[in-house]
Amino acid sequence: MMFAVAMTFIDQTIVSVAAPDIVRELGLSSSGMQWVVNAYLLSLAAFFALGGRLADLYGPRRVVVVGTLVFVLASVLCGCVPSGEYAQTWLIVFRAVQGLGAALLFPAALAVVVAVFPVERRGGALALFFGVSGALTAVGPLLGGWLTASWTWRAVFWVNVPVAVVALVLTAYARIADRRRTGTLDVPGAVLVAVGMGLSVLGFQQAWTWGWGNWATWLCIVGGLAVLYVFVRYERGVRHPLIDLRVFRDRAFAVDNAVLFFAMPAFVPVFFFSSVYAQVSLSASPNQAALFLLYFFVGFALASQWGGRILDKRGARPALKAGTAIGAVGFALWANELTNLSMHDQWPYAALAGAGIGFVLAPASTDAVNRAIGASYGEVTGITQTVRNYAASVGLAVFGTLLSRAMTENVTDTLRARGVSPSVADQVARGITDSVSGHGDATPPTGTGQVAEATRDAMSAVRLDFAQANQWVFYGMAVALGVGFLCALRHPGDRRASEEPVPPAGPH
């Protein structure tokens, strides 16, 4: 099962390192590139609860196989994207299909692992599961950098094919029992949660393009949140809901998910922003950018194992408090070093930030799973992973908008200081921001006019402008983890696991 979910973790990060090459070859905008990353996360969030429910109804083995096939087919099609005007739409659509496959695969795989281990051994087992699979996320940047530099960026998608073949062979060899639960599939609930999440993230993502004062921005954000509210109200009256909201009556479960919600905007988005920062501000190659992210994962891998042991011995509360506090400090210190433009000076803070996340993810996820209603591990895993990936999508959208705004303001000021008129400076700055996912000095502007000459002269300053804009993002991640720390203080600290079955949910 760890091998099966390897693809889903690798694909959360592998595309970030290849982003500049994808942008240059296909002509994507920076907003379009962010959608290529975010379409996967958003689809994960929108369909995770559905995946968990399907695993309960039809058996985890069958859903693992279907999810793997959907995922690998979408991966092949992502790698076959044609150049031209439809390239951006093609890539975004099939990245979303990848997310659907992962949403089917992951909760079913985790349900298999949980069913094998008793509660007293589950903390260590899931710490290994999340630690190893999380460490595979570190493989994404390294593998993506090597494939992009030595072959083609398309290979970052095609690499999933051999992994999927081995996963399917191992799944067949394991002879997994398909334990099914009674009930029906809540189709209206699945539609409501997908529409609500999609609309709200669309509003956050497009706020930079449309503007915060545009009615469309707020229509999407408010409309999406309203649909999610309708979803919650609807689920409370369904006999077999997609998400059994009674599990949130458990205070520890609610706190676990709240901590995950505020930790995830600092986890998955950091791969995209730090990778592009390394290639733009530090003029790093894809391979060097991947090594830059490796510092983060050294701290993450070590802390995730330590956090699992703390969970087994003392419960989730100590690990959650330590992780959110350490992560908040680590991201704040890392943000402070970004403008020094030295990779060597940043690694201790990157490792500290990674350690904070490592302390949080496995204990919070495992503690939440241990509180499954009626041992419905697929369903509860669907809830926690929905929270995680929705938060990551919102984080990427909000921080992407923040980065674009700060970058444009910084570059505008830089150009105005070189004699460019305010209106022209703003227009040129927006163009630079839209291409910011490429190397900052790889394609200097051509021409002999004042604007072209001023822009060429400013390219070294633009790298610093981008670093300063990224500081807002990393400080934002520190703030998110600080809020997560306040949530962790509310955890009751007990280690109770709800294993007894309960009656089906009815109107209440």
Side-chain angles (χ1 to χ4, degrees):
M1 291 299 99
M2 284 192 290
F3 207 99
V5 302
M7 300 180 298
T8 71
F9 277 86
I10 290 174
D11 268 62
Q12 289 182 20
T13 57
I14 195 170
V15 176
S16 297
V17 173
D21 289 77
I22 296 175
V23 167
R24 279 197 295 271
E25 183 172 326
L26 300 181
L28 308 187
S29 66
S30 62
S31 175
M33 190 61 232
Q34 288 177 21
W35 267 114
V36 170
V37 176
N38 215 2
Y40 179 78
L41 299 174
L42 180 57
S43 184
L44 270 173
F47 296 110
F48 238 117
L50 176 63
R53 186 63 177 158
L54 289 174
D56 285 341
L57 294 177
Y58 299 106
R61 180 189 60 79
R62 183 175 301 178
V63 176
V64 164
V65 172
V66 172
T68 302
L69 292 174
V70 171
F71 189 92
V72 72
L73 179 61
S75 298
V76 172
L77 291 172
C78 283
C80 294
V81 55
S83 300
E85 60 179 318
Y86 299 109
Q88 183 166 299
T89 302
W90 176 296
L91 200 51
I92 291 173
V93 167
F94 286 111
R95 280 286 285 171
V97 176
Q98 267 192 313
L100 171 62
L104 298 176
L105 166 62
F106 188 90
L110 190 57
V112 171
V113 176
V114 168
V116 171
F117 292 92
V119 175
E120 61 272 13
R121 293 178 55 201
R122 196 174 294 152
L126 290 186
L128 179 63
F129 182 85
F130 285 115
V132 172
S133 52
L136 291 171
T137 316
V139 175
L142 296 171
L143 189 59
W146 179 75
L147 289 172
T148 302
S150 61
W151 189 14
T152 170
W153 61 263
R154 296 174 185 271
V156 304
F157 299 109
W158 294 336
V159 73
N160 291 321
V161 175
V163 178
V165 170
V166 176
L168 290 171
V169 170
L170 291 176
T171 301
Y173 180 75
R175 298 180 181 176
I176 301 164
D178 257 347
R179 298 184 179 90
R180 305 183 187 183
R181 292 168 58 87
T182 58
T184 57
L185 182 61
D186 178 17
V187 176
V191 173
L192 285 172
V193 73
V195 171
M197 289 183 176
L199 271 179
S200 57
V201 172
L202 175 64
F204 286 120
Q205 182 78 50
Q206 294 299 107
W208 161 245
T209 304
W210 295 342
W212 284 104
N214 191 301
W215 63 268
T217 301
W218 291 105
L219 179 64
C220 288
I221 294 174
V222 175
L225 296 177
V227 172
L228 290 177
Y229 175 76
V230 172
F231 166 75
V232 171
R233 298 285 298 180
Y234 172 80
E235 292 295 279
R236 295 177 63 183
V238 179
R239 180 171 178 80
H240 297 291
L242 184 69
I243 295 178
D244 192 339
L245 298 175
R246 292 175 302 165
V247 72
F248 284 98
R249 296 175 184 173
D250 187 320
R251 179 174 159 187
F253 181 85
V255 171
D256 288 333
N257 280 277
V259 172
L260 287 171
F261 183 87
F262 289 106
M264 289 309 292
F267 182 49
V268 176
V270 75
F271 306 125
F272 178 78
F273 293 110
S274 60
S275 175
V276 177
Y277 161 79
Q279 296 182 65
V280 173
S281 293
L282 305 182
S283 297
S285 68
N287 280 328
Q288 290 171 326
L291 291 174
F292 182 59
L293 293 174
L294 189 60
Y295 298 133
F296 180 90
F297 270 104
V298 169
F300 174 84
L302 294 175
S304 63
Q305 295 304 302
W306 194 358
R309 288 193 288 269
I310 292 175
L311 173 66
D312 283 340
K313 294 180 180 179
R314 301 173 56 193
R317 189 170 188 261
L320 300 188
K321 288 170 56 182
T324 49
I326 292 171
V329 172
F331 275 102
L333 294 175
W334 193 0
N336 193 54
E337 288 292 326
L338 291 177
T339 52
N340 290 338
L341 304 184
S342 170
M343 189 181 298
H344 176 74
D345 293 340
Q346 296 178 36
W347 75 263
Y349 310 117
L352 189 65
I357 299 295
F359 271 119
V360 169
L361 289 192
S365 301
T366 304
D367 188 57
V369 169
N370 283 344
R371 298 166 190 278
I373 294 178
S376 177
Y377 302 118
E379 181 181 4
V380 173
T381 300
I383 296 173
T384 58
Q385 297 301 319
T386 296
V387 169
R388 284 178 56 166
N389 288 284
Y390 179 60
S393 295
V394 171
L396 186 63
V398 171
F399 290 145
T401 299
L402 180 64
L403 176 69
S404 296
R405 182 181 182 85
M407 177 65 174
T408 301
E409 291 177 351
N410 291 346
V411 176
T412 298
D413 291 341
T414 295
L415 294 177
R416 290 181 63 182
R418 285 165 169 77
V420 180
S421 66
S423 59
V424 175
D426 181 70
Q427 183 180 2
V428 174
R430 284 179 172 270
I432 292 175
T433 299
D434 283 340
S435 62
V436 78
S437 294
H439 294 287
D441 57 351
T443 54
T446 59
T448 57
Q450 177 195 14
V451 175
E453 291 178 0
T455 306
R456 276 198 301 274
D457 293 340
M459 290 313 291
S460 59
V462 166
R463 292 200 296 271
L464 181 60
D465 289 337
F466 188 67
Q468 291 173 337
N470 264 283
Q471 281 187 310
W472 288 97
V473 173
F474 281 67
Y475 281 131
M477 294 175 179
V479 170
L481 281 165
V483 176
F485 174 77
L486 297 179
C487 295
L489 295 177
R490 302 285 296 170
H491 197 286
D494 68 293
R495 300 170 60 190
R496 177 175 60 85
S498 177
E499 297 281 358
E500 293 300 319
V502 294
H508 57 278

